[in-house]
Structures are given as C-alpha cells and as structure tokens.
C-alpha cells in the first residue's frame, strides 16, 4: 500500500513539474509574440505612401523603390515566417513537445533580431528620402540669401571692385543659374541628385562672399595707395639724390620691383585670385616700408653726423694727447722702476688704435666733403669710435692710476727699511741688556738671516732701476721674520730668567731631595750650553714633583718683575 502512495506522489510531482514548464514556455511565447507585433508599427508603410505622393524621379525614385521593395520582402518573408513559427511553437507547447518548443523559441529570437535590424534600416532610409527634399529646399534658400547679399554689395559698391567687377558679375550670373537649376531638380522629384550639386554650389557661394568682402580694401591698395606711395618714394629719392645723398640699398631697383608686383596684382584682381592677391599686397607693403626706411635712415643719420662730428674730433684729439702724456710719463718712470704689468706695451697698442680711429675719421670727413659718404654708415662708424675711445680712456686712466703711486710707494719702502733697522737694533740691545752668557745657535743663525734679508732689501732699494713689486714681497717677508725674531728673543730671555729664578727656589730642597739636586746640576749644565729652555724645563719638572704649583708660583713672581717689556 505504501509503495502505491509513493508512486502516486511521484506521479503528481512529475505532473506538476510538466505543467509548470508548460506555463513558463507559454509566458515566453507570449512575450515573443508581443515583440514580433511591434516590429511593424506601420511607420514604414506610412512613409511609403507619403513618398509616393512626391512623384520622385531619377536616382531618388530608384532609391525609394529599392527600400519599398525591401519592406515588402520583409513583410512577405521574415515577418510571415515569424507568425507561422509562433503558431507552431505554441501548438508544440500544448502537446508537451518541449524539445520542439526550445528549438522554436531559439529560431524565433534569431528571426526577430534580424527583422528588427532590417526594419530599422528601412525606416531610416525612407525617412532620409522624405527629409532630403525639405533639407534641400532649406539649403537652397540659405545659398540664395548668401548670393543675394553678395550681389547687393557688388551692385551698391561696384566702383570699389575695380577690374574685378566683370569677373564678379559673371560668377554671380553662374551662381544664379545653378540655383535655379538645382531648385527645379529638387522640385521635380530628384532630391538626391540636387543634394550632390548643392555641395559644390555651397563652395562657390562661400568663395564669392569672401571675394566681395576681401577685394575692396585690396583693390584700393593696389589702385590708389601703393601707386601714390611709389610716386612719393620716387620724388623723395630724386630730391635726396639732388642733395647728393648716398644710400645703402638700390632704391630705383626697389621701385621697379614694386611696379612689377603691382602689375601682377592687377591681373590677380581680374582673376579674383584673393589668396594670392592678399600675399602679394603684403609683400608690396613691406617693400614700400623698407624703401621709406632706407631714405628716412639717411635723413636722420645726416643730422646725427653733423651733431657729433666736431665733438668726436675733440674726443680723438684729447685721447691722443692723453696717450702721448702717459707715454712720456711711463718712459720717465721706466728709468727708475721696473714696470711689470705691460704698461708701456699697452700704451703703445692704444696709440695704434687711436691712430686707426683718427685715420678712419679723417677719411670719413673727406668722403662727407666730397658727398660720397653714406650717412648711416658714417654714423655707425662714429658711434663705434666713440665707444672705442671711451674704453681707451678707461685703460689710460687704469694705467695712470697704477703708476702714479710708484714714488710714494718707494718712500714708504725706504721708511719701512729704516724701521726694520731700528727694530733689529732694539732687539740686539734688549738681548745684550740681560747679560746672558751666550745665545743658542739656532737663534744666532736666524738673527743672521734677518740681518741678511735687510741688507738684501737695502741693496734692492739702492739699484738704479728698482722693482717695487719684488721689494713689496721682500718687505712682507722681512716684517714677518722680525716679528718671529722678537718672539724668539723673548723666549730666550724668559727661559734664561726663569732658569735663574727656579734654581734659586730649588736651593731650599737641594739638601733634602736628591732628585732636586740632580735636576739642578742638569739644569746648570744645559744653561752653560745656552740651552735655557731645557734648563728651565728640567728644574721645573723636579720642583713640581716635590711641591705642586711651585712652577706657576715662580713664573708669577718672574712676570711681576718684568715692568718694561721692549717687545
């Protein structure tokens, strides 16, 4: 009994599953049916009926027929096939042929996607054909307005276009004829062909609008402004030539160049070659400006040359005289002093430069007198000469400053040597005053070195022609060595004095401390050999071992006794 119940339950579950799957398929089929129904909304049929009323012809008619046929084929083919397929899959679902349902749904989805794509293409193409005529009419009106604007300007300002007028009028007539022909073509039912020709016409209208806008100022330049300027340049050149001006450029050749360019411009006007004409007029304007500048440059230069000529002559004479005076002074100083910085050579080089400047100035003045000079070139030369003269006078001043103190420097050196002599005498006196038994050999040798340096310095000072640069170096060396000699003298005197004081202080420990007695003997031996510093160090070390601080105590007493230190 139990198995029967279980079997019944399984059968019920299977039945419910089959029923559920059938319901699901039904919903999918219904959804596909609704989508297929939206493929053809009637818009394509409406467009076809609307376009048929236009009575198209030519290329436009062929295009329309192509897409109307495609629409009909879609209706008779794929759309009909979709309806049949939907009926078949619905029937298969009712009969529980789920395998056929699955394949049928897949087939319907593929057909539906293809049909939707085709229908979109058809609608888009038909809409384009429908809109093309209206768009053509709009573009024709826009081009007609541009044409009429250009025509109105040409009629109102015909005088401003000069020899370009016949070509402009011919272009306007051609545009008017093409506008009429394209309009008739569009109205006659071939908007596709009309659209193709409108593209070219648009370029023609744009070109004539540009010509009408650009030509008047260019024509005015070529016809009025430039010829007047050329005439003015020719007149000015003749006048300046009569006044014997010279120029850096060939003005007549420049005028001929402009004249040729103007002839080319005349032809460019007739040919409506606006781009080439614009470039040509810019070149002509630049050339005319350069010709004006050439003549104006010489007029200004003449005034500047006249203003600076006398002043420059004085400047040259002053520099020459100053160089001459400097050369004499250097020659005189060279007899007594070594001149180590090329003062004479530099002054001679400056003289060569000044002679060149003077010669070039005289040549320029001769050319001016003979009316053969180009004023702008002379002005450039004068300006450079003035700059060079300023630099030369700065060099002259530098040389003069460097040698002007030679005699004063010599006297200072003499005074310094005398001071060195006094310092050495003072050192000798101070050392002898302390009545030392002798002096260390190193000290005596250094003393001889210093006295020898002073003797050598005196000999250098007593030469007929002295080298103050070398003497200055010797003065620095001797001064340093005297300072060192003073310090060594202090050290010797202080070491000997400290030794004597330390020996006296050590007497109190001599009997009681054998080390002190031995140190005293060693110190006295060193003292006898004039090695005062060793003597002082020896006894000081022994005393410190016996009485800490004894050395400093003796040193303080010794320093307190030195009331007058010569050094």
């Amino acid at each position: 009994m139990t198995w029967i119940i279980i079997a019944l339950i399984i059968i019920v579950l299977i039945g419910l599953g089959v029923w559920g799957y059938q319901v699901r398929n039904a919903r999918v089929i219904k959804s596909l049916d609704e989508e297929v129904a939206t493929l053809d909304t009637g818009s394509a049929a409406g467009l076809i009926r609307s376009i048929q009323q236009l009575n198209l012809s030519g290329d436009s008619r062929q295009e329309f027929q192509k897409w109307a046929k495609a629409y009909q084929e879609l209706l008779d083919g794929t759309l009909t096939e979709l309806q049949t397929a939907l009926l078949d899959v619905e029937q298969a679902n009712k009969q529980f042929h789920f395998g056929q349902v699955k394949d049928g749904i897949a087939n319907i989805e593929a057909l539906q996607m293809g049909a939707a794509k085709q229908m979109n293409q058809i609608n888009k193409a038909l809409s384009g054909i429908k809109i093309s005529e209206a768009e053509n009419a709009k573009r024709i009106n826009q081009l007609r307005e541009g044409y009429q604007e250009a025509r109105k300007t040409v009629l109102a300002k015909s005088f401003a276009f000069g020899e370009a007028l016949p070509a402009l009028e011919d272009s306007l007539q051609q545009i008017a004829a093409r506008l009429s022909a394209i309009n008739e073509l569009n109205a006659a039912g071939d908007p596709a062909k009309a659209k193709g020709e409108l593209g070219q016409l648009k370029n023609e209208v744009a070109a004539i609008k540009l010509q009408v806008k650009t030509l008047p100022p260019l024509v005015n330049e070529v016809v009025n402004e430039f010829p007047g300027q050329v005439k003015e340049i020719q007149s000015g050149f003749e006048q300046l030539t009569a006044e014997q001006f010279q120029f850096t450029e060939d003005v007549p050749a420049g005028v001929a160049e402009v004249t040729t360019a103007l002839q080319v411009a005349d032809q460019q006007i007739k040919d409506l070659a606006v781009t080439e004409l614009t470039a040509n007029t810019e070149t002509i304007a630049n050339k005319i400006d350069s010709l004006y500048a050439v003549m104006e440059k010489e007029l200004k230069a003449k005034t500047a040359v006249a203003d600076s000529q006398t002043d420059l002559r004085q400047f040259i004479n002053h520099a020459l005289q100053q160089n001459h005076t400097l050369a004499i002074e250097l020659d005189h100083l060279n007899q007594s002093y070594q001149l180590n910085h090329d003062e004479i050579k530099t002054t001679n080089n400056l003289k060569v430069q000044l002679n060149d400047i003077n010669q070039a100035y005289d040549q320029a003045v001769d050319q001016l007198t003979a009316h053969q000079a180009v004023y702008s070139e002379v002005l450039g030369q004068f300006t450079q000469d003035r700059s060079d003269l300023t630099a030369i006078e700065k060099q002259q001043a530098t040389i003069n400053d460097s040698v002007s103190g030679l005699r004063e420097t010599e006297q200072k050196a003499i005074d310094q040597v005398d001071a060195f002599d006094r310092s050495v005498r003072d050192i000798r006196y101070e050392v002898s005053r302390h009545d030392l038994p002798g002096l260390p050999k190193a000290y005596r040798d250094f003393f001889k070195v210093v006295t020898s340096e002073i003797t050598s310095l005196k000999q250098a000072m007593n030469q007929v022609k002295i080298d103050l640069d070398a003497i200055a170096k010797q003065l620095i060396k001797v001064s340093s060595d005297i300072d060192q000699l003073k310090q060594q003298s202090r050290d010797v005197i202080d070491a000997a004095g400290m030794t004597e004081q330390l020996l006296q202080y050590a007497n109190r420990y001599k009997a009681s401390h054998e080390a002190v007695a031995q140190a005293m003997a060693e110190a006295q031996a060193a003292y006898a050999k004039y090695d005062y510093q060793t003597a002082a160090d020896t006894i000081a070390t022994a005393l410190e071992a016996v009485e800490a601080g004894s050395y400093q105590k003796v040193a303080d007493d010794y320093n307190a006794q030195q009331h007058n230190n010569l050094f």
Side-chain angles (χ1 to χ4, degrees):
M1 187 67 179
T2 303
W3 289 107
I4 295 173
I5 294 172
I6 293 172
L8 288 173
I9 292 172
I10 293 173
I11 292 170
V12 170
L13 291 175
I14 292 173
L16 289 173
V18 171
W19 176 79
Y21 192 64
Q22 185 183 48
V23 171
R24 174 188 171 279
N25 287 343
R27 286 199 300 268
V28 173
I29 295 167
K30 182 180 179 182
S31 176
L32 288 173
D33 191 23
E34 291 172 353
E35 290 178 8
V36 170
T38 62
L39 288 176
D40 185 13
T41 61
S43 60
L47 284 171
I48 291 172
R49 288 192 299 271
S50 177
I51 294 171
Q52 285 174 338
Q53 296 175 6
L54 297 177
N55 296 319
L56 298 179
S57 63
D59 295 339
S60 300
R61 181 179 179 80
Q62 292 178 5
E63 183 73 5
F64 166 70
Q65 289 175 341
K66 167 188 170 183
W67 289 107
K69 180 180 179 182
Y71 173 68
Q72 190 60 47
E73 289 176 348
L74 181 61
L75 287 178
D76 297 339
T78 305
L79 292 180
T80 299
E81 185 178 349
L82 277 169
Q83 294 298 330
T84 301
L86 282 167
L87 291 173
D88 291 342
V89 80
E90 185 177 1
Q91 186 64 31
N93 189 50
K94 290 178 180 179
Q95 296 174 356
F96 304 106
H97 297 161
F98 294 140
Q100 294 180 15
V101 172
K102 181 179 178 182
D103 293 340
I105 288 174
N107 180 51
I108 290 170
E109 287 176 343
L111 290 173
Q112 188 267 338
M113 288 181 61
K117 184 177 180 181
Q118 284 183 278
M119 186 61 75
N120 183 56
Q121 291 176 337
I122 292 168
N123 279 319
K124 187 175 180 180
L126 292 173
S127 295
I129 295 172
K130 172 68 176 176
I131 294 170
S132 181
E133 181 189 27
E135 287 184 344
N136 286 349
K138 182 179 178 181
R139 292 178 65 190
I140 290 170
N141 287 334
Q142 291 174 341
L143 293 177
R144 183 178 288 110
E145 289 175 1
Y147 154 77
Q148 289 174 345
E149 181 184 347
R151 182 172 179 274
K152 181 179 177 181
T153 302
V154 171
L155 291 175
K157 299 179 180 180
S158 57
F159 61 90
F161 296 97
E163 296 187 16
L165 186 60
L168 284 173
E169 290 177 339
D170 183 57
S171 293
L172 286 169
Q173 290 177 0
Q174 292 180 20
I175 290 173
R178 285 178 58 77
L179 274 169
S180 178
I182 293 173
N183 187 50
E184 291 177 2
L185 187 63
N186 190 57
D190 197 355
K193 187 174 182 180
K195 182 178 181 180
E197 296 191 13
L198 277 171
Q200 182 179 353
L201 183 60
K202 178 183 177 182
N203 295 334
E204 294 174 6
V205 172
I208 200 164
K209 286 175 67 176
L210 176 64
Q211 292 162 356
V212 168
K213 178 182 178 181
T214 308
L215 278 171
L218 296 177
V219 170
N220 182 57
E221 284 183 328
V222 173
V223 175
N224 298 313
E225 292 183 13
F226 292 157
Q229 291 171 343
V230 169
K231 185 176 180 180
E232 187 177 39
I233 290 171
Q234 288 174 321
S235 175
F237 175 76
E238 291 172 0
Q239 181 179 347
L240 293 177
T241 302
E243 295 175 15
Q244 298 180 311
F245 274 81
Q246 304 294 324
F247 301 96
T248 56
E249 296 182 27
D250 190 342
V251 176
V255 170
E257 182 181 336
V258 171
T259 301
T260 300
L262 284 172
Q263 292 172 353
V264 173
D266 286 335
Q267 187 60 47
Q268 289 169 337
I269 290 172
K270 294 177 182 178
D271 296 339
L272 303 181
V274 173
T275 302
E276 294 80 358
L277 178 61
T278 301
N280 191 17
T281 53
E282 183 177 354
T283 301
I284 293 171
N286 290 337
K287 186 60 180 180
I288 288 175
D289 288 344
S290 71
L291 293 174
Y292 274 121
V294 167
M295 295 189 294
E296 184 178 5
K297 177 176 66 174
E298 299 308 322
L299 282 168
K300 291 181 177 180
K302 180 181 181 181
T303 302
V305 167
D307 291 341
S308 63
Q309 185 174 340
T310 301
D311 179 62
L312 183 59
R313 175 73 275 169
Q314 293 173 351
F315 198 171
I316 294 172
N317 291 341
H318 178 267
L320 284 167
Q321 180 59 43
Q322 186 165 280
N323 210 75
H324 178 69
T325 302
L326 179 61
I328 293 174
E329 176 65 14
L330 290 175
D331 183 65
H332 178 67
L333 291 173
N334 191 47
Q335 296 176 20
S336 302
Y337 303 101
Q338 290 284 355
L339 301 178
N340 298 319
H341 304 287
D342 291 331
E343 291 89 348
I344 295 176
K345 180 181 178 181
T346 301
T347 302
N348 290 336
N349 290 338
L350 294 179
K351 182 181 179 181
V352 173
Q353 292 183 45
L354 288 169
N355 288 338
D356 291 342
I357 291 173
N358 186 51
Q359 183 179 0
Y361 174 86
D362 290 339
Q363 291 175 351
V365 171
D366 291 342
Q367 289 179 337
L368 290 169
T369 303
H371 302 292
Q372 297 175 347
V374 178
Y375 288 110
S376 60
E377 293 178 351
V378 173
L379 178 60
Q381 176 188 323
F382 282 5
T383 301
Q384 184 61 51
D385 288 346
R386 189 176 300 279
S387 176
D388 293 342
L389 288 168
T390 300
I392 288 171
E393 288 206 336
K394 285 182 179 179
Q395 287 183 278
Q396 291 171 340
T398 300
I399 294 171
N400 185 66
D401 291 343
S402 69
V403 300
S404 62
L406 288 177
R407 296 190 188 281
E408 181 181 356
T409 302
E410 180 186 9
Q411 186 57 52
K412 289 181 178 179
I414 292 171
D415 295 341
Q416 188 65 51
V417 171
D418 291 341
F420 290 160
D421 274 335
R422 289 194 298 272
S423 294
V424 171
R425 287 197 301 270
D426 291 342
I427 292 170
R428 184 182 288 112
Y429 170 75
E430 181 66 17
V431 173
S432 64
R433 187 174 68 81
H434 285 79
D435 197 23
L436 299 176
L439 295 170
K441 184 177 183 304
Y443 175 82
R444 296 197 307 272
D445 290 344
F446 188 63
F447 194 96
K448 289 178 182 179
V449 169
V450 174
T451 55
S452 176
E453 288 176 346
I454 295 174
T455 299
S456 176
L457 188 56
K458 289 179 179 178
Q459 291 174 351
M461 294 291 296
N462 290 329
Q463 298 297 316
V464 175
K465 189 173 182 179
I466 64 177
D467 187 343
L468 288 176
D469 287 347
I471 288 172
K473 295 178 182 179
Q474 288 181 270
L475 287 171
I476 294 171
K477 179 68 167 60
V478 174
S479 178
S480 175
D481 288 348
I482 286 178
D483 289 340
Q484 186 177 349
L485 182 61
K486 287 180 179 180
Q487 184 60 51
Q488 288 187 15
S489 299
R490 290 191 196 99
D491 294 342
V492 169
I493 292 170
D494 289 344
M498 280 294 295
T499 300
E500 293 171 0
Q501 295 277 29
L502 288 167
L503 286 171
Q504 291 178 10
Y505 193 86
N507 281 327
R508 67 184 67 185
Y509 296 110
K510 180 179 181 181
S512 59
H513 292 78
E514 184 179 349
V516 173
Q518 184 178 353
M520 290 179 66
E522 292 176 359
Q524 288 170 344
Y527 188 91
K529 296 178 181 179
Y530 319 136
D531 189 357
Y532 304 121
Q533 188 61 53
T534 299
D537 292 342
T538 300
I539 191 62
T541 302
L543 282 173
E544 282 293 314
V546 175
E547 180 186 345
S550 58
Y551 173 79
Q552 189 60 48
K553 181 179 179 181
V554 173
D556 291 342
D557 291 342
Y558 174 81
N559 291 330
Q561 296 172 12
Q562 307 304 309
H563 301 300
N564 183 21
N565 192 336
L566 176 65
F567 307 130

